[in-house]
Amino acid sequence: MDLAYIPSPSSGVIYLGPIPLRGYAFCIIIGVFVAVWLGGRRWVARGGRVGTVADIAVWAVPFGLVGGRLYHVITDYELYFTDGRDWVDAFKIWEGGLGIWGAIAMGALGAWIGCRRRGIPLPAYADAVAPGIAFAQAIGRWGNWFNQELYGKRTDVPWALKIDADPGIGRVAGTYHPTFLYESLWCVGVALLVIWADRKFRLGHGRAFALYVATYTVGRFWWEALRVDTAHHVLGMRLNQWTAIAVFLAAALYFVISAKKAPGREEVVEPAAVAEAEEGEGGGEPARAESGEAETQVKAGAQAKGEAEAKSGAKADGEAKAEAKAEAGPAEPAEQSK
């Protein structure tokens, strides 16, 4: 008898009246918002403009969702294109099935398009959003918990995940390793590691993103070995394990080469932000100069007016004295003493 375990939701859908709220889709949406929010803060801290990360995410997120779904459907085609299967199910993304490899690859393509339109280097953008992507994965994996999928081998550990039976898909009731939880916690650790390393070593030119990819794939290799869902095997290992090895080597190689060719961090990540800052600083000087000139002119005018009034007053006073003297006539000689 299992004394402790993690229960699974009885349903992956919550109805708000007539509106279905699917747990899997909800987790993905929350993850995207977290990634964009954190990425935006990091981008501004690096000298970029507010809103740039969100604008580029408009390209990256749809591309990522399509790429993630394509990778899943291609690598698990038998779930949709074999006898007894309905190919329409390949479009039901809310039922689960996103491959992170395809999501990152296609998402990077979308981000590249968005960056190119703004004249922004893709590596700098990738560095800014890397921890946010890891946090998004941590949140998104809870969608697998709602769907009771991607669990590991049977176990009786206290944190085992209880799975309900579903004969329709061949799911057997029992307690299993919660690989969704392992991945979620690992991704949180990856995000914190990247943030720490980026602050301490000032990673740039795509190295923060490469660190995220390399550390994620290490964990992915481990929990892939625990999973019991159907998967293609090559030389005794699951396909995703081989993919994790290849991606890890590529990320590590990029990190080393990038550090040698372009050490340090980019001084400018968004030229438009620098141009705005320079315009703001330059626009203030003429304004101050014009204000100073106007003040000087006012003072000079007041001084000239004062001098004119003083001269006018002196002249008037002199004329008044002359008139008074003329009216009085010549002075009488003084009386002689007898």
Side-chain angles (χ1 to χ4, degrees), residues 181-193:
L181 180 61
Y182 298 159
E183 182 168 355
S184 181
L185 294 176
W186 183 270
C187 286
V188 170
V190 169
L192 296 177
L193 172 65

Side-chain angles (χ1 to χ4, degrees), residues 144-215:
N144 301 131
W145 176 63
F146 279 100
N147 287 352
Q148 296 196 40
E149 60 184 359
L150 305 186
Y151 45 86
K153 299 175 182 178
R154 282 183 175 272
T155 183
D156 57 358
V157 296
W159 58 86
L161 175 66
K162 184 179 180 181
I163 296 296
D164 300 322
D166 187 345
I169 59 175
R171 194 168 66 199
V172 180
T175 55
Y176 300 83
H177 276 288
T179 51
F180 85 91
L181 180 61
Y182 298 159
E183 182 168 355
S184 181
L185 294 176
W186 183 270
C187 286
V188 170
V190 169
L192 296 177
L193 172 65
V194 173
I195 292 174
W196 170 81
D198 192 28
R199 289 178 177 176
K200 184 173 180 62
F201 303 107
R202 292 184 57 81
L203 302 176
H205 302 281
R207 288 189 290 279
F209 186 81
L211 178 62
Y212 145 69
V213 173
T215 50

Side-chain angles (χ1 to χ4, degrees), residues 24 31 46-47 53 67 72-73 76 93 103 112 122 130 140 171 190 192 198 215 227 239 256 258 278 305 332 338:
Y24 188 86
R46 287 179 176 239
V53 168
H72 167 73
V73 171
D76 291 308
I93 191 173
W112 176 79
L122 178 61
R171 194 168 66 199
V190 169
L192 296 177
D198 192 28
T215 50
R227 284 169 51 171
L239 176 61
V256 173
S258 175
E278 290 178 349
K305 182 178 180 181
E332 295 182 359
K338 296 180 180 178

Side-chain angles (χ1 to χ4, degrees), residues 94 100 291 337:
W94 56 86
I100 186 62
S291 176
S337 60

Side-chain angles (χ1 to χ4, degrees), residues 7 13 28 31 41 125 135 170 215 236 264-266 302:
V13 184
I28 292 176
R41 288 176 60 88
Y125 181 84
F135 279 126
T215 50
R265 182 184 289 178
E266 299 91 340

Side-chain angles (χ1 to χ4, degrees), residues 37-47 127-131 194-195 198 208:
W37 170 78
L38 180 58
R41 288 176 60 88
R42 286 171 53 81
W43 182 254
V44 172
R46 287 179 176 239
D127 284 340
V129 300
V194 173
I195 292 174
D198 192 28

